Amino acid sequence: MAGPREKWNSRLGFIMATVGSAIGLGNIWRFPTAVGQSGGGVFLFIYLLIILIIGIPLMIGELTIGRRGQSNIVNVFKKIKPTRPWWLIGVLGVVTGLIILSFYSVIAGWSLSYIYKFSSGLFRTAEAAQAEEIFSSFVSHPWLPLFWQMLFIILTAAIVIKGIRRGIEKASTTLMPLMFILLFLLLFRSLTLEGAVTGLWWFLKPDLSAVNLGIILGALGQVFFSLSLGMGAIITYGSYLSRDDNIPESSFIISSLDLGIAVLAGLIIIPAVFAFDLEPGTGPPLIFITLPLVFAAIPAGDLFGALFFLLLSIAALTSAISILEVVVATFKDIFQQTRKKSSVIAAFLVFLLGVPSSLSMGILDDFLLLGFPFLEFVDFLSAIILLPLIGLLTALFLGWVWTPEKSLVEIEQHGVKFKLWKPWSIILKYILPLALAYILISGIAA
Ligand code: PHE
């Protein structure tokens, strides 16, 4: 329904909500998994480079598009460039959002159920075989994971229904600090484990001779996924921004916090894995099988385990909110529906789309797409292909269609100075499109 556009209440509220969007399963589940699979420090190094060269510049661009267009992700492009079909970027973003949230809610549902499993003492004496057994019998159960997934979607929708200030901003400003406290507690626990140092080095020390295209592609997808780029979440949050916010500075703060939390998660998980002589490259189940073993072996492990999954669920929730918000904001304007009705419909769609991902760990485990189980396929499709592709189109739009000169006018409203505008515009016009096109084409061909 049309009305004055909602706005963030405060700058802190905006930063918390956007950091909340950025920090999620991507940092605590996907990042350590990717580091584990691609051999440690080298991944971290490439990841850092890509954040600097691609992540931060694109975040500045996306926030600027959002604030300029003051609308949902389809209309922002129409408003800025009415004559050309660039709004299709927005449509692609909404579709990608639905796909991401469909598998995101599955993993987040697992995380919710693990809070319960730890609190009920299920892992108290889990040995390696048992932890695996607990995980696989749970995820292959025909309806239990669906139940937890649905619960997670309901929680997400309940917050989105309440709107920007009373829903999203309030939830983020309360939940994010709680998450930071929990993280530091766990960090202390993990680093004081005997033998943690080996893992610490493995994680932090880059072996540059190990760089290959697969690692670069993986790190690129991870940057997009983790910074919530290429899907309209940042554009949408930017559209609730008031004119006096300093966009480049905010982008730097948000990206640094996101990176910081990914590194913290790595520092919690990887040294613990090494301290217990476990395997870091086990893929998506890493934190659901390996970590419980760590918790089972330490004093008060139940408590730390429950806390860890509480933390993961909170982080996932504030991200899922931002994904659902993109879809809801668009549905609401385009189909002229209330926020409530749009949220319910979007949530329902997400649940339906998520069913095959959930079942791919059980009944549907024989059904492979390009050799991947369904859940891993949609993860790959969205993070490695769709997000960077939309990022590439957005960079072309910013660099060549709307032009950096016009972005500058929007960025420098109210006396904000953008000192790095020159290098930013070179990155947007040349480096970002070329690098993205190269990595995408060669990575997918390989
Ligand atoms: N950034 C979120 C995470 O790391 C996931 C996400 C992707 C959120 C895309 C919004 C858009 O978990």
Side-chain angles (χ1 to χ4, degrees), residues 15 133 173 193 209 211 311 341:
I15 302 249
E133 171 58 26
T173 23
L193 289 172
S209 65
V211 179
L311 167 105
K341 198 154 171 204

Side-chain angles (χ1 to χ4, degrees), residues 95-387:
V95 174
T96 307
L98 287 169
I99 299 179
I100 293 184
L101 198 51
S102 76
F103 74 87
Y104 204 85
S105 57
V106 173
I107 314 272
W110 297 352
S111 171
L112 279 183
S113 87
Y114 266 59
I115 306 177
Y116 170 75
K117 289 184 177 34
F118 271 99
S119 329
S120 58
L122 191 60
F123 282 107
R124 193 154 299 149
T125 51
E127 300 279 317
Q130 264 172 307
E132 245 190 288
E133 171 58 26
I134 293 175
F135 175 76
S136 49
S137 66
F138 167 64
V139 296
S140 61
H141 190 281
W143 57 264
L144 253 182
L146 290 174
F147 163 78
W148 288 101
Q149 178 200 0
M150 182 159 10
L151 186 66
F152 179 79
I153 296 177
I154 292 174
L155 281 174
T156 309
I159 297 174
V160 171
I161 285 177
K162 289 196 166 164
I164 306 308
R165 288 193 184 184
R166 280 190 316 126
I168 300 178
E169 183 165 349
K170 196 158 162 231
S172 310
T173 23
T174 334
L175 294 177
M176 294 311 286
L178 178 66
M179 200 200 74
F180 292 141
I181 297 173
L182 287 180
L183 264 179
F184 277 103
L185 213 71
L186 287 171
L187 178 69
F188 177 74
R189 176 62 273 191
S190 180
L191 289 184
T192 48
L193 289 172
E194 203 176 318
V197 180
T198 327
L200 198 64
W201 281 121
W202 187 81
F203 174 47
L204 295 177
K205 211 167 118 211
D207 168 14
L208 292 184
S209 65
V211 179
N212 62 42
L213 202 64
I215 293 185
I216 300 179
L217 192 66
L220 177 78
Q222 179 61 26
V223 168
F224 271 88
F225 192 87
S226 193
L227 292 181
S228 309
L229 291 168
M231 204 222 76
I234 298 297
I235 296 184
T236 304
Y237 277 18
S239 77
Y240 305 126
L241 208 52
S242 60
R243 297 275 179 222
D244 52 8
D245 192 71
N246 185 337
I247 289 181
E249 190 183 88
S250 297
S251 305
F252 186 75
I253 297 175
I254 294 160
S255 309
S256 313
L257 280 173
D258 186 70
L259 171 69
I261 298 295
V263 172
L264 264 186
L267 287 177
I268 292 173
I269 292 161
I270 307 231
V273 168
F274 275 81
F276 286 90
D277 225 356
L278 299 165
E279 177 46 53
T282 51
L286 177 72
I287 63 168
F288 293 97
I289 296 177
T290 315
L291 264 189
L293 288 175
V294 175
F295 291 130
I298 59 180
D302 285 346
L303 178 69
F304 282 111
L307 279 179
F308 176 83
F309 285 100
L310 177 66
L311 167 105
L312 186 64
S313 305
I314 294 175
L317 187 64
T318 50
S319 301
I321 292 171
S322 75
I323 308 180
L324 195 64
E325 174 61 21
V326 171
V327 182
V328 169
T330 312
F331 278 11
K332 165 167 137 328
D333 296 345
I334 291 191
F335 304 118
Q336 295 283 313
Q337 293 298 336
T338 56
R339 173 169 276 277
K340 189 164 173 195
K341 198 154 171 204
S342 315
S343 308
V344 173
I345 294 175
F348 188 68
L349 267 177
V350 165
F351 178 71
L352 281 187
L353 274 177
V355 170
S357 285
S358 178
L359 296 183
S360 71
M361 308 298 288
I363 310 175
L364 293 183
D365 63 356
D366 286 341
F367 174 65
L368 301 181
L369 285 169
L370 299 180
F372 291 113
F374 195 81
L375 192 151
E376 283 176 54
F377 173 75
V378 275
D379 175 284
F380 175 83
L381 175 70
S382 46
I384 311 280
I385 299 179
L386 292 170
L387 296 181

